[in-house]
Amino acid sequence: MPVPKLQKALVVDDSPELRLLLGSLLTHLGLDVVAARDGETGLALVAEHRPDIICLDLMLPTMSG
């Protein structure tokens, strides 16, 4: 069974440095990346972009992962 190719990624983290780092790594791997700084924005981006993979900080200020 073939492994599906990942195309879109969502990075959710309150640290701008980590969002940038993860976004850069995932972009380098060929993924289209969208990023959010909090859980509410992340949920909205999930509905809008339907990412194949989500990198989520488990300790967010308003809504934890």
Side-chain angles (χ1 to χ4, degrees), residues 8-24:
K8 295 183 222 171
L10 170 62
V11 175
V12 183
D13 200 304
D14 56 329
S15 167
E17 295 85 5
L18 289 176
R19 283 194 313 268
L20 181 63
L21 176 64
L22 285 171
S24 295

Side-chain angles (χ1 to χ4, degrees), residues 1 15 19 24 27 30 33-34 37-38 42 58 64:
M1 176 181 242
S15 167
R19 283 194 313 268
S24 295
T27 299
V33 178
V34 292
R37 64 183 173 106
D38 57 47
L58 295 179
S64 291

Side-chain angles (χ1 to χ4, degrees), residues 2 6 9 12 15 17 23-25 32-34 36 42 46-48 50 54-55 62-63:
L6 300 177
V12 183
S15 167
E17 295 85 5
S24 295
L25 290 170
D32 294 325
V33 178
V34 292
V46 166
E48 181 181 345
R50 309 277 301 174
I54 300 172
C55 296
T62 59
M63 177 189 289

